[in-house]
Amino acid sequence: MDSALSLIVLCLSAVMINGADFTVTQPESLEGVVGNSIDIPCSFTYPETYKPREINICWRRNQFHGENIFNVSGRYIHPQYRDRIDFLGNPYQKNTGIIRINHLKQSDQDRYFCRVETTGVNNEKWQNIPGTLLIVRGQGPTPSPFQLTTSVTAATSERTGEDEDKLGQGVILIIRSVLTLGMRAIVWMIGIYLMKSREVTILPIEGSGKRPNEGRVDRTEITSRNL
């Protein structure tokens, strides 16, 4: 009887240790931007009766049994994340295993899984099942100094071209005005010449006794007399 009771108690203890009290909580998804940093939260729990001596936090990517990218106790960081992962967790006092990924890359877009490993009366390992999907958005293209210089030069050239066009139009208007005035002056002078050429002035002969006005004869009269 005592043996049976002891077996039941042992089984209940095992169920409590390996049951729902061992949890790892993560957000379903996060979104970051290339070049920025992002924190991936992770918190965990274990039964109050379980007293771990050491707590280690690991992170995996891609799938539940994917490759390790970070291990606190092992001081391991995947080469792809070298110098880009900071551990912000406090597993002993706050039961957290938060990591920060700096200088996000497009290749960092993946699913991440937090894994807790402890040593104690029994060594335990438990992990979040769905993990956290990290979505990395790209930034807009940043113009290079050459592109900025080219843009400024193009704008300046365009403005200079507009100024030159305006100057050319002004010169053309001035030339047209001068030509118009010149043509009018020429027409006016031709008109004066024609008007004067229609009259013949005969100067009085000295001693003729004629008055100056008598010396002016219309060309039409001279023609009629000759006929």
Side-chain angles (χ1 to χ4, degrees):
M1 182 67 179
D2 292 338
S3 300
L5 182 59
S6 299
L7 182 60
I8 292 173
V9 172
L10 182 61
C11 290
L12 289 175
S13 300
V15 169
M16 182 168 38
I17 291 178
N18 295 290
D21 286 340
F22 285 89
T23 64
V24 177
T25 304
Q26 294 180 228
E28 293 182 0
S29 63
L30 294 172
E31 186 171 318
V33 179
V34 171
N36 292 351
S37 300
I38 192 167
D39 296 347
I40 306 181
C42 166
S43 61
F44 60 92
T45 63
Y46 48 82
E48 294 182 0
T49 56
Y50 181 67
K51 304 299 181 181
R53 289 194 299 269
E54 294 182 359
I55 302 175
N56 182 37
I57 302 296
C58 301
W59 280 87
R60 293 179 173 181
R61 70 174 181 182
N62 188 249
Q63 58 182 349
F64 187 84
H65 295 291
E67 63 179 335
N68 291 319
I69 64 168
F70 182 75
N71 187 311
V72 175
S73 298
R75 298 182 179 180
Y76 172 78
I77 298 179
H78 191 281
Q80 184 176 334
Y81 299 87
R82 188 69 49 83
D83 299 326
R84 294 198 300 123
I85 289 184
D86 295 328
F87 183 65
L88 306 180
N90 189 342
Y92 290 96
Q93 296 180 358
K94 296 183 178 181
N95 291 8
T96 58
I98 307 167
I99 60 170
R100 172 176 294 169
I101 302 178
N102 301 302
H103 310 295
L104 280 174
K105 301 178 181 179
Q106 195 67 51
S107 59
D108 294 335
Q109 180 165 303
D110 211 328
R111 191 170 290 275
Y112 294 83
F113 301 84
C114 181
R115 179 181 178 88
V116 182
E117 300 176 348
T118 62
T119 58
V121 177
N122 295 312
N123 296 338
E124 298 293 338
K125 299 178 182 179
W126 65 103
Q127 178 177 317
N128 185 269
I129 296 176
T132 298
L133 175 62
L134 174 60
I135 300 172
V136 180
R137 304 291 184 187
Q139 289 182 335
T142 303
S144 64
F146 174 75
Q147 291 174 329
L148 291 175
T149 304
T150 303
S151 300
V152 172
T153 304
T156 304
S157 301
E158 183 177 357
R159 178 59 60 85
T160 303
E162 292 178 357
D163 294 340
E164 290 178 353
D165 291 342
K166 292 180 180 179
L167 179 61
Q169 293 175 0
V171 172
I172 291 174
L173 290 175
I174 293 174
I175 293 174
R176 286 180 178 176
S177 300
V178 172
L179 290 177
T180 301
L181 293 175
M183 292 297 295
R184 289 180 179 178
I186 292 172
V187 171
W188 181 77
M189 293 176 64
I190 292 174
I192 295 297
Y193 174 77
L194 293 176
M195 290 176 62
K196 287 186 177 183
S197 65
R198 293 183 63 186
E199 297 180 352
V200 177
T201 303
I202 302 176
L203 296 176
I205 300 174
E206 210 178 298
S208 62
K210 292 184 179 182
R211 291 174 299 183
N213 291 337
E214 295 176 352
R216 181 167 300 188
V217 181
D218 193 342
R219 186 176 293 178
T220 305
E221 293 180 359
I222 296 175
T223 305
S224 60
R225 290 177 184 174
N226 292 334
L227 293 176

